[in-house]
Amino acid sequence: MVKSRQWLLAKKPTDMPQLDGPDATFKLTEKDLPEPKDGEIVVKAVYLSNDPAQRGWISPDINPERLYVPPVKEGTPMHARAISEVIESKSSSFKKGDWVFSSTGWSEYGVVPASSCQPAPELPGGMSRTHYLGALGGTGMTAWFGLTAVAQITKDDVVVISGAAGATGSMCVQIAKNIIGCKKVIGIAGTDEKCKWVESLGADTCLNYKKSSFADDLTKATPEFATVYFDNVGGEILDLMLTRMAKHGRVAACGAISNYNSSKERATGLKNWFEIISMRIQVRGFIVLDFMDKVPEAREVFTKALQEGKLKVEGSEHIVECGFEDVPKTWMHLFDGTNQGKLITKLQ
Amino acid sequence: MVKSRQWLLAKKPTDMPQLDGPDATFKLTEKDLPEPKDGEIVVKAVYLSNDPAQRGWISPDINPERLYVPPVKEGTPMHARAISEVIESKSSSFKKGDWVFSSTGWSEYGVVPASSCQPAPELPGGMSRTHYLGALGGTGMTAWFGLTAVAQITKDDVVVISGAAGATGSMCVQIAKNIIGCKKVIGIAGTDEKCKWVESLGADTCLNYKKSSFADDLTKATPEFATVYFDNVGGEILDLMLTRMAKHGRVAACGAISNYNSSKERATGLKNWFEIISMRIQVRGFIVLDFMDKVPEAREVFTKALQEGKLKVEGSEHIVECGFEDVPKTWMHLFDGTNQGKLITKLQ
């Protein structure tokens, strides 16, 4: 019998999630796992993917009807994507020692149908498997489909990317500048150090939104206005960007992390909607799940770009090694500006 | 020599325009008009078009670079579309007694190049020429292109229209229900009387947004969610509608009258942007000027629809007869909920 610790969602947070106290968002528990039945495997989580989207899954504001995945219920394990090792198998699909993607959430171990897992084989060139969670996984696909299918970027575009030092944003910068070859790519990030990194990935410039001169800097960086804005953050930066969009500009609405930890009452409301009308701006919200049938094509593009040096995954991960008891604490770094690139938890 | 009174923009209003007092928005002046030169005509304004868009042209918040027409400058005549009578002509294009569209703004008389005017001949079936300003003019075209080219409505759509008793909205209702034949058309208006009128135009239902039960009423009216929202008002109704859009729904962003008289500091910010992402909503701002090349096609559709009784223009106008000194006062009715259909000033 395997004992597994797991983190449950204790209380949906209206504002910033709480690590402890009476309103703690998560609760650590332990349970005995059942013996695996035929067709099932026992997996041990090794890497956990940390994604801003998870914040939405635990929000009390969200009407379950209005979310693209079932939200997490209070008293049930927190959802997360994981790369796990198979430690026991009653399935012909996987054997002990195989690596898989599992939807076992914030659990040390899981007993799951083999059919619910996908293989996570080694990557070529000595690349870490963790890139399956980031650059070569959902994050990279989000960047790719958001830019190509949603915003339909071409070489002629002036592209602004917020959250440019984040997992998705850093891929956006490379895709726009190095793969598509856009005329100008402007990143927005939260520290000078991150901005330097974003520029090293290919951005023509990257602006630090925490500087008091940010609004001016953005105006100066976009004298011809932006034809495309890839928005990872929402809130005030989005509001400002609406005033810097070119006529008929396109906004790919990917995320709104700036408001994920604010109740709607406190959230910064968008004031510049009229720009959408007067400048005939087109806004398209999207979720990467809508493009899953095209993932193989995107993988081919990425593989070629990696070979040609147009896409770099080194340095695109921010891996935090911690004990299982610190899983929520590590996840919270998504919201304090710590991570550069994809934030991944490596369980000790 | 002709003397003409005219209303100048005295002071750009940050909030509700002021009719008098030290911060009066407009100022009545009189000037001697020059004698017409060869190729010019003298026109007398008979009807003035009152349009919410005019509020944008006099806003101090608007960056001239970000407007689709040159804004009105302080100290210059207020812009407006007019139907005028030719009282003297030094052009072969028009003779005395002809009717024209003139861009003479809020002026009693104008001396203008004949080439700056278009003929306004009589309409068939005894319809008033004023419909050129409303149902059969820019207003009707805005409704048509917004629904067909921007939102791309089909019979399968559930369409919600705000400002449904307004000039554009009342045309939208008829186009969506009677010409295109959409599955369900829901209007939103500001009094029960207006709602009844909107329903008489073809809407399946029309909701009074001033009722305290409005949010519930809207939820009940859209059990299957709305696939299309034609937005004339912005603000709180738009914010609420984002929560009632179906997955992949389309928003045609036409106007935002609810915020036209609020400085940005006081404007109601939009809180529900995340719905655009989670529901993959597509928003497209538009201005009718972008579709001028397709106006002849639209006119054909309207003519046929009028003949078939699918489009009614009777009752679609709200004509206020007043002296020239009351032109601003009449225009202000756009913002106090008075008008049903197109608000037109008839000069005494």
Side-chain angles (χ1 to χ4, degrees), chain A residues 43-49 81-87 97-102 104-105 107-110 128-130 133 319-322 324 327 344-348:
Chain A
V43 298
K44 179 183 192 304
V46 180
Y47 297 104
L48 298 175
S49 180
R81 291 182 299 138
I83 295 182
S84 305
E85 200 180 342
V86 178
I87 58 170
D98 280 350
W99 289 77
V100 295
F101 294 101
S102 64
T104 38
S107 296
E108 277 181 297
Y109 297 91
S128 163
R129 271 189 186 88
T130 48
L133 297 177
I319 297 184
V320 177
E321 193 167 338
C322 69
F324 191 78
V327 162
I344 289 172
T345 303
K346 181 175 186 184
L347 292 171
Q348 283 167 340

Side-chain angles (χ1 to χ4, degrees), chain A residues 89-111:
Chain A
S89 176
K90 292 210 167 167
S91 158
S92 57
S93 306
F94 301 107
K95 62 179 191 298
K96 190 177 167 181
D98 280 350
W99 289 77
V100 295
F101 294 101
S102 64
S103 300
T104 38
W106 285 0
S107 296
E108 277 181 297
Y109 297 91
V111 178

Side-chain angles (χ1 to χ4, degrees), chain A residues 154-157 174-184:
Chain A
T154 70
K155 283 183 198 306
D156 297 328
D157 280 313
Q174 297 188 69
I175 292 167
K177 194 71 197 183
N178 307 335
I179 299 184
I180 307 293
C182 294
K183 191 158 75 180
K184 193 169 180 181

Side-chain angles (χ1 to χ4, degrees), chain A residues 19-80:
Chain A
L19 289 176
D20 37 45
D23 290 331
T25 304
F26 305 105
K27 188 185 166 189
L28 187 58
T29 58
E30 191 173 50
K31 70 166 195 172
D32 295 327
L33 292 186
E35 288 298 320
K37 296 182 213 135
D38 276 354
E40 290 189 330
I41 57 178
V42 183
V43 298
K44 179 183 192 304
V46 180
Y47 297 104
L48 298 175
S49 180
N50 297 293
D51 300 280
Q54 291 169 284
R55 179 62 184 83
W57 307 343
I58 62 172
S59 171
D61 280 342
I62 291 228
N63 176 344
E65 261 184 319
R66 309 294 287 168
L67 201 63
Y68 49 92
V69 292
V72 183
K73 288 184 186 154
E74 286 178 355
T76 70
M78 179 61 181
H79 298 176

Side-chain angles (χ1 to χ4, degrees), chain A residues 66 68 225 238 242-243 245 264-265 267 269-273 275-276 278-283 285 290, chain B residues 66 68 225 238 242-243 245 264 267 269-273 275-276 278-283 285 290:
Chain A
R66 309 294 287 168
Y68 49 92
F225 296 107
L238 165 63
L242 289 179
T243 71
M245 294 303 294
K264 274 194 189 149
E265 290 67 38
L270 212 62
K271 304 273 186 178
N272 292 323
W273 179 266
E275 297 278 341
I276 291 177
S278 63
M279 288 293 117
R280 297 81 134 176
I281 296 168
Q282 185 170 325
V283 178
D290 293 341
Chain B
R66 310 293 287 168
Y68 49 93
F225 296 107
L238 165 62
L242 290 178
T243 70
M245 294 302 294
K264 273 192 191 153
L270 212 62
K271 304 274 186 175
N272 292 323
W273 180 267
E275 297 277 340
I276 291 177
S278 63
M279 288 293 117
R280 297 80 137 176
I281 296 168
Q282 185 171 327
V283 178
D290 293 340

Side-chain angles (χ1 to χ4, degrees), chain A residues 61-293:
Chain A
D61 280 342
I62 291 228
N63 176 344
E65 261 184 319
R66 309 294 287 168
L67 201 63
Y68 49 92
V69 292
V72 183
K73 288 184 186 154
E74 286 178 355
T76 70
M78 179 61 181
H79 298 176
R81 291 182 299 138
I83 295 182
S84 305
E85 200 180 342
V86 178
I87 58 170
E88 189 182 341
S89 176
K90 292 210 167 167
S91 158
S92 57
S93 306
F94 301 107
K95 62 179 191 298
K96 190 177 167 181
D98 280 350
W99 289 77
V100 295
F101 294 101
S102 64
S103 300
T104 38
W106 285 0
S107 296
E108 277 181 297
Y109 297 91
V111 178
V112 289
S115 59
S116 72
C117 298
Q118 291 81 44
E122 223 164 335
L123 278 163
M127 281 191 288
S128 163
R129 271 189 186 88
T130 48
H131 292 303
Y132 281 129
L133 297 177
L136 308 181
T139 309
M141 293 299 147
T142 300
W144 176 256
F145 293 114
L147 286 172
T148 60
V150 178
Q152 303 185 3
I153 57 168
T154 70
K155 283 183 198 306
D156 297 328
D157 280 313
V158 174
V159 182
V160 176
I161 296 156
S162 59
T168 303
S170 58
M171 284 296 286
C172 283
V173 167
Q174 297 188 69
I175 292 167
K177 194 71 197 183
N178 307 335
I179 299 184
I180 307 293
C182 294
K183 191 158 75 180
K184 193 169 180 181
V185 174
I186 299 158
I188 299 174
T191 67
D192 287 348
E193 195 190 342
K194 286 182 179 181
C195 285
K196 267 186 205 155
W197 180 61
V198 170
E199 288 172 359
S200 79
L201 295 176
D204 294 280
T205 187
C206 185
L207 309 174
N208 181 346
Y209 72 86
K210 289 191 178 156
K211 281 192 179 164
S212 59
S213 60
F214 173 63
D216 284 344
D217 296 343
L218 185 63
T219 300
K220 282 177 196 148
T222 53
E224 72 290 72
F225 296 107
T227 54
V228 169
Y229 174 46
F230 190 106
D231 184 29
N232 286 305
V233 303
E236 289 178 26
I237 293 176
L238 165 63
D239 215 14
L240 187 61
M241 266 310 300
L242 289 179
T243 71
R244 300 308 304 166
M245 294 303 294
K247 200 159 106 175
H248 300 294
R250 293 101 72 201
V251 175
C254 177
I257 196 170
S258 68
N259 281 331
Y260 289 173
N261 292 315
S262 299
S263 59
K264 274 194 189 149
E265 290 67 38
R266 289 202 310 108
T268 306
L270 212 62
K271 304 273 186 178
N272 292 323
W273 179 266
F274 189 72
E275 297 278 341
I276 291 177
I277 303 172
S278 63
M279 288 293 117
R280 297 81 134 176
I281 296 168
Q282 185 170 325
V283 178
R284 285 184 64 187
F286 76 100
I287 298 288
V288 70
L289 298 175
D290 293 341
F291 298 96
M292 294 319 274
D293 57 322

